[in-house]
Amino acid sequence: MNFLFNWRRRPLARTGSVYVTEKSGVRSLHIASETIQSSMRIARPNDLELAYTRSMMGFLLFGPAPRRVLLIGLGGGSLAKFIYHRMPETAAEVLEINPDVVAVARRWFEVPAGDGRFMIRVCDGATHVARPGPGYDAILVDGYDGNAQVEALSSREFYDACRRRREARGVLVVNLWGSDRKFNDTVERIESAFPTGTLCLPAEKPGNVIAFAFRDPLGNPRWDELEARAHELEARYGLEFGRFVGGLRKMNPCDGERLYISDGVTAGP
């Protein structure tokens, strides 16, 4: 979810509370409010248009490309499409509670049909993750309704369930809103569920913060190692991983040599 408002946009299409707007070659999805949930540049439908979605991919700095990814919250399918088209070695499963979101995403945002590498389940993400099931190398959570983060997707119980459903060295990635009055409480719940290590990455704009929580110890990587990894990933995926490395310096314990992946983060501005 991206907290941008577009009061002059008229709906292009509507299904239930879900509607689509379009401006300057960018199509956006909304749920019962002017808040943009997802955006797609029509000329480049498989790119990540919004800064926070690109920042969520920053987890790739800390390990190899995942084999299995779980995404909770579909929106317009930006992350799902990027993973499907740009990461052929990765299988992606999406959980979305609102069938209208799925219908709109497929009709207006070029979300692919299911196959052996991609599937969408219409279900409650918190309930599904709490059940026994396969592990994932990465779980990406973007769980907002029209106005706020969904409580069931930000509880300690939910984060505990995510920890149980991850493979060794797996990572949880959560999109947060930095000015939310519950931001610090949410980060503390993530840290409590993942005492091995949590990091925060500020998105470029307009205020999203991405939390990365690790199941297993990763050590304290050197900045030169992260910068070399960022250079490699930029060439492969076309995302600004070098900026992500710079953003990690702003909100996490570190010195001039290393980033410290520990049980605490600075909650940020």
Side-chain angles (χ1 to χ4, degrees):
M1 180 182 187
N2 193 49
F3 284 78
L4 290 174
F5 297 88
N6 296 269
W7 301 109
R8 293 187 176 88
R9 292 192 180 192
R10 292 184 177 180
L12 179 66
R14 185 184 295 272
T15 301
S17 63
V18 183
Y19 67 94
V20 180
T21 62
E22 194 172 301
K23 183 179 180 181
S24 303
V26 176
R27 188 171 291 169
S28 297
L29 181 144
H30 310 253
I31 302 175
S33 79
E34 294 287 335
T35 304
I36 291 175
Q37 298 282 339
S38 184
S39 290
M40 176 187 76
R41 187 163 295 276
I42 297 168
R44 299 192 297 274
N46 300 320
D47 287 359
L48 294 174
E49 177 68 17
L50 297 179
Y52 90 87
T53 58
R54 299 195 299 272
S55 295
M56 289 183 76
M57 297 303 298
F59 77 90
L60 293 172
L61 286 165
F62 301 100
R67 293 168 299 172
R68 289 175 51 86
V69 171
L70 179 68
L71 300 98
I72 302 178
L74 175 65
S78 299
L79 285 164
K81 289 188 299 178
F82 183 86
I83 291 170
Y84 182 77
H85 289 286
R86 299 297 298 275
M87 302 172 67
E89 70 276 29
T90 301
E93 180 180 348
V94 184
L95 309 180
E96 172 55 55
I97 196 170
N98 187 340
D100 291 341
V101 170
V102 178
V104 168
R106 284 178 166 154
R107 170 66 179 82
W108 293 95
F109 292 87
E110 303 189 25
V111 170
D115 60 19
R117 290 183 45 241
F118 180 75
M119 68 176 299
I120 299 172
R121 297 180 187 271
V122 179
C123 67
D124 183 297
T127 300
H128 183 86
V129 171
R131 296 173 180 151
Y136 301 90
D137 301 301
I139 299 176
L140 281 62
V141 182
D142 188 13
Y144 286 82
D145 56 24
N147 299 297
Q149 190 177 31
V150 176
E151 288 191 17
L153 298 179
S154 61
S155 69
R156 171 61 191 272
E157 291 76 17
F158 171 70
Y159 295 134
D160 284 340
C162 287
R163 186 189 65 246
R164 292 192 295 269
R165 291 293 292 270
R166 278 160 346 133
E167 295 287 3
R169 298 182 67 83
V171 60
L172 171 69
V173 182
V174 186
N175 176 37
L176 302 172
W177 180 241
S179 65
D180 189 329
R181 61 184 177 84
K182 297 181 180 179
F183 174 81
N184 287 337
D185 291 339
T186 303
V187 171
E188 288 175 3
R189 285 194 291 272
I190 295 172
E191 291 174 349
S192 296
F194 295 89
T196 297
T198 303
L199 299 172
C200 281
L201 170 63
E204 184 177 15
K205 58 182 181 180
N208 296 73
V209 176
I210 310 306
F212 302 122
F214 303 96
R215 202 198 81 166
D216 297 308
L218 295 183
N220 297 314
R222 294 173 53 91
W223 290 118
D224 56 359
E225 294 171 347
L226 288 172
E227 288 164 359
R229 174 71 172 162
H231 183 73
E232 173 191 342
L233 292 170
E234 285 185 359
R236 186 183 307 174
Y237 298 116
L239 303 179
E240 62 271 37
F241 285 93
R243 185 190 66 77
F244 303 159
V245 173
L248 290 167
R249 292 178 183 266
K250 298 177 180 179
M251 295 189 69
N252 303 281
C254 65
D255 58 26
E257 183 177 334
R258 295 181 181 274
L259 170 66
Y260 293 101
I261 303 177
S262 62
D263 60 357
V265 301
T266 301

